[in-house]
Amino acid sequence: MTAMPEKILFAVVLAVLLPTARAQESCDYAAIKGQEFEFAVQEESLRSYGYQLWSMTPEPAGSLPYEDYVGKKGKFLGTFTGKEYVPPRFHNAILEDCRPIYFYALKNNIADEMLELHGVRLMNKPLRRWSARVDVDEMTDARTCLVTPDGDMPYPMFHYEKGGRISVGVVGGDFPGKDVSFRVDKLPALGEREMLTGAGAQKLVQQIRAGGKTLLTRSYAWPNDVPQTKEFNLDGIVAALDECKAALR
């Protein structure tokens, strides 16, 4: 078999690489919306393991080399590759140079992934979508409205009843007889047995409406008698609370 002339070989390689090069040149990383992250500096004892659960293809490859990726930034795109409930499934992301990259999805919301265990530092707080839902009791026709964030349990739930009464609990963190606590930004925490009610619930909502940015919850999940603290970004919650109030007028 005769060797391929160098000019022809160069043309073949260029034809393969050119579409990728053009795609990267036309990509405006700064304009891409998404949760930004950085491959963080690791302790020396962990560096040989690389960045685990990350790969350049949607395959469970294992890890990325530490020296090649430390300090690089990227963005989670908020989409997935793979079918829901059918592993493997991956969070889609993109690097600064616009190359696609994939993170093995253990959770549906990136805010619930234990990213720090895999060497990744988020550049800002992970966002959650807050939504309102009206429920109607089939026996009494009584209407209630719930405001919750997306993501895995435990998570806070704001429960509105007609007449303006409100209570706040933690779904998946309602260990019988245990306190639940809520803290908006650096304000003093508000706590009560099993669920925040009355003046406490009203005060929490007032703090949120006054411009609160983050909400901490501390609760106990059955059957583990151990407190769990979780953080939630409050962007969009006021609109959801207003939707509940309007729905129950």
Side-chain angles (χ1 to χ4, degrees):
M1 183 177 179
T2 59
M4 183 180 294
E6 290 185 6
K7 288 185 178 180
I8 297 177
L9 179 60
F10 176 77
V12 170
V13 173
L14 185 62
V16 172
L17 295 180
L18 194 55
T20 301
R22 283 176 177 168
Q24 293 183 11
E25 287 175 2
S26 64
C27 177
D28 185 356
Y29 175 78
I32 295 174
K33 295 181 180 180
Q35 173 70 54
E36 192 166 29
F37 63 89
E38 179 182 46
F39 287 101
V41 175
Q42 297 285 78
E43 296 181 12
E44 287 192 20
S45 60
L46 300 176
R47 295 177 184 178
S48 61
Y49 297 100
Y51 296 101
Q52 297 185 350
L53 300 189
W54 286 92
S55 61
M56 297 305 297
T57 58
E59 299 173 359
S63 65
L64 295 176
Y66 175 81
E67 296 297 338
D68 292 347
Y69 287 89
V70 61
K72 291 186 181 297
K73 294 183 176 64
K75 292 180 181 179
F76 288 103
L77 301 179
T79 57
F80 294 90
T81 291
K83 296 181 179 180
E84 192 168 9
Y85 308 120
V86 182
R89 190 167 181 251
F90 300 87
H91 291 281
N92 297 324
I94 193 166
L95 291 172
E96 301 177 272
D97 59 8
C98 291
R99 286 182 296 159
I101 192 169
Y102 303 88
F103 180 67
Y104 197 101
L106 300 175
K107 306 286 186 179
N108 282 335
N109 192 312
I110 200 65
D112 292 314
E113 296 282 11
M114 301 297 289
L115 293 172
E116 64 276 7
L117 296 181
H118 305 288
V120 176
R121 181 176 69 89
L122 293 176
M123 305 302 289
N124 46 60
K125 296 296 182 183
L127 298 179
R128 296 176 183 269
R129 293 184 299 273
W130 292 85
S131 58
R133 186 186 82 237
V134 175
D135 286 342
V136 180
D137 188 297
E138 294 179 348
M139 298 299 292
T140 65
D141 295 328
R143 293 161 61 86
T144 58
C145 189
L146 309 177
V147 173
T148 57
D150 61 1
D152 291 346
M153 296 187 294
Y155 57 79
M157 180 180 71
F158 295 76
H159 182 271
Y160 277 90
E161 296 179 30
K162 195 171 182 63
R165 192 167 70 173
I166 182 172
S167 57
V168 189
V170 178
V171 177
D174 48 0
F175 195 112
K178 290 292 185 180
D179 287 355
V180 292
S181 301
F182 304 85
R183 189 182 191 188
V184 174
D185 298 335
K186 296 299 182 181
L187 296 172
L190 302 169
E192 196 172 332
R193 186 65 51 85
E194 297 183 4
M195 180 179 291
L196 203 62
T197 59
Q202 293 288 352
K203 187 172 183 178
L204 179 64
V205 171
Q206 289 171 3
Q207 292 174 348
I208 291 171
R209 288 185 176 278
K213 301 299 182 183
T214 60
L215 175 67
L216 287 180
T217 65
R218 177 166 292 172
S219 60
Y220 296 78
W222 180 269
N224 301 312
D225 192 4
V226 178
Q228 181 176 355
T229 302
K230 197 168 180 182
E231 182 175 348
F232 298 83
N233 189 293
L234 291 172
D235 286 356
I237 189 175
V238 172
L241 294 175
D242 287 342
E243 185 177 341
C244 266
K245 288 188 67 175
L248 298 182
R249 285 175 185 165

